Amino acid sequence: MKVVTMGEIMLRLMTPNFRRIEQTDSFDAIYDGDEAIVGASLARFGMNVQYITRLPDNALGETCLQHLRAQGVDCTHVARGKGRLGINFYETGAAMRPPRVIYDRAGSAFAEAEPEEFDFDAIFRDADWFHFAGITPAISAKTALLTRCAVEAAKRHGVTVSCDLNYRSKLWTPEEAQTVMKPLMSYVDVCIGNEEDAEKCLGLKPKNTDVRQSKLDVDGYRDIFREMQELYGFRYIGCTLRESYSASDNGWSVLCYDGAHFAQSRHYDIRLVDRGGGGASFAAGFIYGILNQLPLEKMAEFAGAASALKHTIYGGMNLVTADEVWELAGGDASGRVQR
C-alpha cells in the first residue's frame, strides 16, 4: 500500500519550560506540519509513504528532509526552490492559561508552489491513498490551486482521498474556508474533523456541544456525520472528542463512522506533554485502520490510542510503533515501567 500526503512542513519555535514569549530568550526548534505528522506516523506503522511539499533550497529545507527521512518517509517528489521556511511561534500553556500560536508563513516556499513543479500523474500512478488537510488550501491562492490539482489527479488514478478539515482562524475566515473546502469535498472519500472544523468549513454544527465548557454530546456528532454522509457521500467519517479541562489536562476519545455504524474509542484522561499533532495522529491511526480493513470498533480503538499517545510525546512527530499503540488500545494504560 502506498500513501501520499501533501502539505507544508514548518519550523515550530516552542517556548521551553512553559514560558511566555516575552519571558524567553530561546526556543526549542521542532519541524512538523499536519500532513508530515500523518506521513511519519504511517511510515512508523510500516507503510510506504511519500510526502509532497516545496522547501527552500537552503539548510533549513535540508533539515526538514532529514527529519522526514529519519521516520522512513519517501521524499522523492519534494520540490526545492526560492522562498523561506514557514514558522510557527508556539507559546506553551499551563492550567487555565491556553497555548497561543503566532504564524509567520506568508511567502514561504510552499505558499509559492506551482502545480507544474509536481508530476501528479506519476506520483499517483501507483498510489492507493492521498491525504491532505484544510490547512494546505488555506495558506495561499497557489496552494488552494495545488490542492485542487492534486485531488483531481488522485481521482484520475482511482486513489482514495482523505481530508482533515482542520480549520485555522488565523489563516482564513469561515466564508473563505467554505468557498474552497465545500467544492473539494466532491473528491473526498474519508473526512476527518472536530466540531469546530465541521462548523467553519462545512457550515454544520453539533447540537448541545460547547468545547470550552468540556461539554460534548456524542449524539450531536452522530447527527452531523449522517448529514455529512448524505451531502457528500463520504465512505468514512471520523473526529476527535477533546474535553479541555485545562491547558494541562484533557479528556480524549475518538468517534468513527462507516456510513452505517458508529464506534467510539475508550476514554483517556491525559496530562499533556505536547498537544501538537494530536489530530494528525488520529488521522494516521484512522487511515491505518481503514487500509488494514480493521473492524470499525478496532479501528476506533487504534486511532484513539495512537492520538492519545501523541499527547505524551514532546515534539511534532508521534514517535510510537504500531505494537505500542495496540498495547494501549488493548487496555494497558498503567504506565508501568517496561523492563
Side-chain angles (χ1 to χ4, degrees), residues 218 222 241 253-256 262-267 297 300-301:
V218 176
R222 291 191 176 102
L241 303 173
S253 62
V254 307
L255 184 66
C256 302
F262 293 90
Q264 185 175 357
S265 74
R266 70 189 67 213
H267 182 273
E297 293 77 13
E301 292 296 354

Side-chain angles (χ1 to χ4, degrees), residues 173-222:
T173 66
E175 293 75 21
E176 292 169 330
Q178 290 178 38
T179 297
V180 174
M181 295 299 290
K182 284 183 176 181
L184 289 175
M185 293 302 102
S186 64
Y187 299 91
V188 173
D189 303 289
V190 177
C191 188
I192 300 164
N194 64 21
E195 69 288 338
E196 182 183 26
D197 300 327
E199 179 183 1
K200 304 301 185 184
C201 292
L202 304 179
L204 303 170
K205 182 176 174 60
K207 299 174 183 177
N208 303 319
T209 294
D210 185 346
V211 68
R212 289 180 174 81
Q213 298 297 324
S214 299
K215 182 182 179 183
L216 298 177
D217 182 349
V218 176
D219 287 338
Y221 288 85
R222 291 191 176 102

Side-chain angles (χ1 to χ4, degrees), residues 29-43:
I30 297 168
Y31 296 88
D32 65 12
D34 272 62
E35 296 93 341
I37 295 169
V38 171
S41 294
L42 289 170

Side-chain angles (χ1 to χ4, degrees), residues 217-264:
D217 182 349
V218 176
D219 287 338
Y221 288 85
R222 291 191 176 102
D223 291 341
I224 279 189
F225 280 10
R226 292 188 185 99
E227 187 174 355
M228 291 167 65
Q229 202 276 334
E230 289 174 3
L231 284 172
Y232 300 108
F234 300 135
R235 287 171 43 206
Y236 289 91
I237 305 171
C239 75
T240 61
L241 303 173
R242 184 187 296 276
E243 298 161 279
S244 188
Y245 309 138
S246 72
S248 302
D249 296 280
N250 284 184
W252 187 263
S253 62
V254 307
L255 184 66
C256 302
Y257 178 54
D258 65 1
H261 304 97
F262 293 90
Q264 185 175 357

Side-chain angles (χ1 to χ4, degrees), residues 5-12 30-40 51 68 88 105 131 133 135-136 166 168 276-277 280-281 315-317:
T5 70
M6 183 181 79
E8 181 172 39
I9 185 169
M10 302 174 62
L11 172 59
R12 177 159 53 119
I30 297 168
Y31 296 88
D32 65 12
D34 272 62
E35 296 93 341
I37 295 169
V38 171
Y51 182 61
L68 290 164
N88 170 349
R105 61 200 303 178
H131 177 76
I135 295 171
T136 295
N166 236 336
R168 293 291 184 268
S281 297
M317 303 303 182

Side-chain angles (χ1 to χ4, degrees), residues 4 6 52 115 118-130 145-161 184 187:
V4 178
M6 183 181 79
I52 305 171
F118 305 93
D119 187 346
F120 284 125
D121 284 314
I123 291 168
F124 290 118
R125 190 169 294 124
D126 61 345
D128 299 284
W129 195 288
F130 174 56
L145 175 61
L146 185 73
T147 305
R148 165 73 73 158
C149 292
V151 295
E152 288 176 349
K155 281 304 171 187
R156 282 199 300 272
H157 292 276
V159 174
T160 298
V161 175
L184 289 175
Y187 299 91

Side-chain angles (χ1 to χ4, degrees), residues 10 21 28-29 37 49 65 72 78 90 103 107 143 159 165 171 177 212 231 253 309 322 332:
M10 302 174 62
I21 286 176
D28 291 341
I37 295 169
V49 178
L65 289 177
V78 170
Y90 192 95
Y103 287 125
T143 59
V159 174
L165 298 173
L171 295 180
R212 289 180 174 81
L231 284 172
S253 62
L309 282 169
D332 186 358

Side-chain angles (χ1 to χ4, degrees), residues 41-42 45 280-290 294 299 302-304 306-307:
S41 294
L42 289 170
F45 296 158
S281 297
F282 162 70
F286 195 29
I287 293 167
Y288 177 88
I290 296 170
L294 298 180
M299 190 185 303
F302 185 89
S307 49

